[in-house]
Amino acid sequence: MGAKLFGQMPDGAQIWKCELRNAGGLSVELLTLGATIHRILAPDREGRTADVVLGKDGVEGYLSKGALAAATIGRVANRIQGHSFSLGGEAFELDANENGSTLHGGSGNYAGRVFSLVEATDSRARMVARDFGEGGFPGEVAVEVAFSLGDDGSLRIEYTAIPTRDTPINLTNHAYFNLAGHGSGPIDAHELQIEADFYTPSDAEDIPTGEIAKVAGTPFDFTSPRVLGPAMRELAASGDAHGGFDHNFALRGSGWRKIAVATEPASGRAMEVYTDLPGVQFYTANHAAPGAVGKDGAAYGRHSGFCLETQH
């Protein structure tokens, strides 16, 4: 379908928007800023369409502090303790952008990077960018993100990363979903199932302790569908200080498989998540500022969306 101009970066670089559509009435809008999912317009059981992804109206919103909504995240999604690591006997110092650690790649985060749109059809879009090691990471990485929308309702995201030298790489997508509609309030009525018998406990700085713990008998047991409101209250009652879920689950199996199902009973919308990665970070937007303004003037508050960030 080609692309339309969405806006400009402060340096004048143009940001483009393209749209994928399928025969079932599903459409997906993508931005070259951060290889971001801008909208997913999905019909409910009555055929009424709503946008189920949180986001911003313009470039300035997507560049605001902490705005990771639905962007491609790299070079390393999640946290690196002490903003440093050693590789091949060499030490690397990174940006410290969260409690002395590096979160989502620090200043090199792909959310603020302008990708080039190299393919755009009704069903597929491909974007490429060059990571020059911003934030302290070694070497450069050629990055490609391909989005494909199938008539079966599947949105497939494929990542390719080719580095010039050894480096940690961990790419994900940071979409916040609300299957009732992006401006419909808290996700408390959603139901979620995660195919994971274990999770990785973390310390007060959200760094994994190294333990791989069983979910059975804990608030982290999503092996059968659970309503999120009561699940978050159970987690808080256990003494967990996150204010909701922000935890990595160690997934069952290996290879390409279904790892989660989310449903919203009132609309009838449901979403299945597939991956070939070993983990998924489940996050319930615990730190969203009350009254934060999103797309179409919608108010985004705490727990207004959920993320399922598949990861290494």
Side-chain angles (χ1 to χ4, degrees):
M1 293 185 68
K4 296 180 179 179
L5 186 64
F6 179 77
Q8 289 187 333
M9 296 287 282
D11 64 2
Q14 294 180 320
I15 304 301
W16 297 93
K17 178 179 73 174
C18 60
E19 184 177 5
L20 312 181
R21 293 179 178 272
N22 76 358
L26 189 69
S27 69
V28 179
E29 293 181 4
L30 306 168
L31 303 178
T32 56
L33 175 57
T36 293
I37 300 171
H38 180 53
R39 295 185 189 274
I40 296 180
L41 297 167
D44 66 6
R45 64 164 61 90
E46 305 297 333
R48 295 174 297 221
T49 299
D51 180 3
V52 298
V53 172
L54 279 63
K56 300 291 184 177
D57 278 328
V59 171
E60 184 177 345
Y62 279 108
L63 292 177
S64 61
K65 183 179 180 181
L68 300 171
T72 296
I73 303 300
R75 179 177 303 190
V76 175
N78 225 316
R79 296 163 176 86
I80 298 175
Q81 184 178 33
H83 65 93
S84 65
F85 64 91
S86 295
L87 183 64
E90 186 177 355
F92 295 90
E93 290 290 322
L94 309 175
D95 296 330
N97 63 330
E98 189 193 65
N99 300 325
S101 295
T102 302
L103 174 64
H104 293 326
S107 64
N109 195 320
Y110 295 177
R113 191 176 302 267
V114 179
F115 283 68
S116 296
L117 186 63
V118 295
E119 181 183 354
T121 69
D122 285 352
S123 61
R124 182 173 168 84
R126 271 191 313 123
M127 304 179 192
V128 298
R130 190 80 181 181
D131 170 356
F132 292 100
E134 295 92 334
F137 288 94
E140 300 179 11
V141 181
V143 182
E144 178 180 294
V145 186
F147 301 87
S148 303
L149 182 62
D151 283 337
D152 60 355
S154 63
L155 175 63
R156 186 181 180 106
I157 308 174
E158 298 172 273
Y159 307 95
T160 303
I162 303 175
T164 60
R165 58 174 295 182
D166 288 349
T167 178
I169 297 176
N170 187 30
L171 306 184
T172 195
N173 181 273
H174 208 293
Y176 290 80
F177 293 98
N178 187 321
L179 300 182
H182 75 97
S184 61
I187 52 170
D188 292 25
H190 284 62
E191 297 178 4
L192 179 66
Q193 182 174 4
I194 302 175
E195 298 291 334
D197 298 307
F198 299 88
Y199 75 104
T200 52
S202 55
D203 63 20
E205 305 300 332
D206 294 319
I207 302 296
T209 63
E211 181 186 6
I212 300 176
K214 292 182 178 180
V215 301
T218 78
F220 301 97
D221 190 348
F222 284 88
T223 53
S224 59
R226 296 182 65 196
V227 181
L228 291 186
M232 287 188 284
R233 289 192 290 274
E234 180 185 349
L235 181 65
S238 74
D240 188 279
H242 285 84
F245 290 92
D246 191 5
H247 300 81
N248 174 68
F249 288 76
L251 298 169
R252 295 170 175 164
S254 62
W256 187 252
R257 74 265 191 223
K258 182 169 66 175
I259 60 96
V261 179
T263 59
E264 200 285 308
S267 66
R269 293 188 185 91
M271 178 180 75
E272 297 178 343
V273 181
Y274 291 73
T275 190
D276 59 0
L277 297 180
V280 63
Q281 187 85 4
F282 171 43
Y283 179 50
T284 49
N286 308 326
H287 305 299
V293 178
K295 289 180 298 188
D296 312 317
Y300 294 161
R302 192 181 188 201
H303 302 155
S304 56
F306 66 92
C307 302
L308 290 166
E309 306 159 60
T310 57
Q311 64 177 357
H312 289 290

